[in-house]
Amino acid sequence: MLSHMNRSWKDWLGLIARMVLGIALIWAGLTKVGRLAANVEQVRLYELPLPDWATLVIGYVQPPLEILVGVLLVVGLFTRFSAILGAAAMAVFIVGISWAWAKGLSIDCGCFTPGGLLEEGEKTKYLEDILRDVFFLIAGIWLIVRPSSALSLDGWLFGSKTDYSHTDAIAD
């Protein structure tokens, strides 16, 4: 019998969490990577208390980093580290969207769209955006706590339990 057939339900849930967070990050990065200068402008629309150099770095580095972390999650390589980066990104996005909402800004978050200022009369979707990112954050937290998952390169390269068994808070 194939070893993946003997996996715990938690390993399969880990696979789902990897796919959910990984595909979301890839999708978000792909919507921005071809228009990095516009992404810098989108970051500026948040009116965050950041120096201009930080806004530039975020605007240019964010899309390729989202894609890289997403790919690592989808293939299951360096899962805990990738999940930490993915969950941290979601936490930052939640804070950024909350900041825009609290400041009364009228912008599209630019997460999976080109973003920008909303047209007159167009409603913000801050609550929906935050709830979506909380869902992705939960997937990331699951993978941080329990990075072992089905069909991962970690398992193939480093063994079915990798080196995570001593830190698994959610034991089998």
Side-chain angles (χ1 to χ4, degrees):
M1 182 175 269
L2 297 172
S3 65
H4 71 272
M5 298 304 281
N6 295 326
R7 306 288 302 214
S8 162
W9 66 269
K10 295 171 189 168
D11 294 331
W12 294 104
L13 184 58
L15 172 64
I16 293 167
R18 281 188 13 239
M19 293 302 123
V20 164
L21 182 55
I23 290 169
L25 286 167
I26 292 168
W27 178 18
L30 287 175
T31 64
K32 298 183 267 277
V33 77
R35 43 177 213 85
L36 295 176
N39 194 55
V40 170
E41 293 308 312
Q42 178 64 28
V43 174
R44 284 191 177 116
L45 288 178
Y46 279 85
E47 299 178 15
L48 298 166
L50 298 172
D52 193 53
W53 67 264
T55 302
L56 286 168
V57 169
I58 292 167
Y60 283 107
V61 172
Q62 174 195 6
L65 188 59
E66 285 174 329
I67 294 167
L68 174 63
V69 171
V71 167
L72 289 173
L73 285 165
V74 166
V75 300
L77 185 60
F78 311 120
T79 302
R80 178 172 280 147
F81 178 71
S82 301
I84 289 168
L85 293 177
M90 292 304 141
V92 167
F93 298 155
I94 291 166
V95 168
I97 295 165
S98 299
W99 173 271
W101 195 0
K103 286 193 63 119
L105 302 177
S106 186
I107 61 174
D108 179 315
C109 78
C111 302
F112 300 100
T113 65
L117 293 171
L118 295 177
E119 298 293 325
E120 177 106 16
E122 204 175 350
K123 301 272 186 204
T124 62
K125 297 185 302 174
Y126 295 138
L127 180 59
E128 294 93 336
D129 294 335
I130 290 169
L131 292 174
R132 177 204 58 222
D133 289 351
V134 165
F135 174 72
F136 295 140
L137 176 62
I138 291 168
I141 291 169
W142 174 269
L143 294 167
I144 293 166
V145 172
R146 192 178 191 287
S148 179
S149 61
L151 307 176
S152 70
L153 283 180
D154 285 338
W156 183 67
L157 293 171
F158 309 117
S160 64
K161 286 292 186 187
T162 49
D163 191 31
Y164 301 132
S165 58
H166 68 283
T167 57
D168 244 351
I170 303 173
D172 289 323

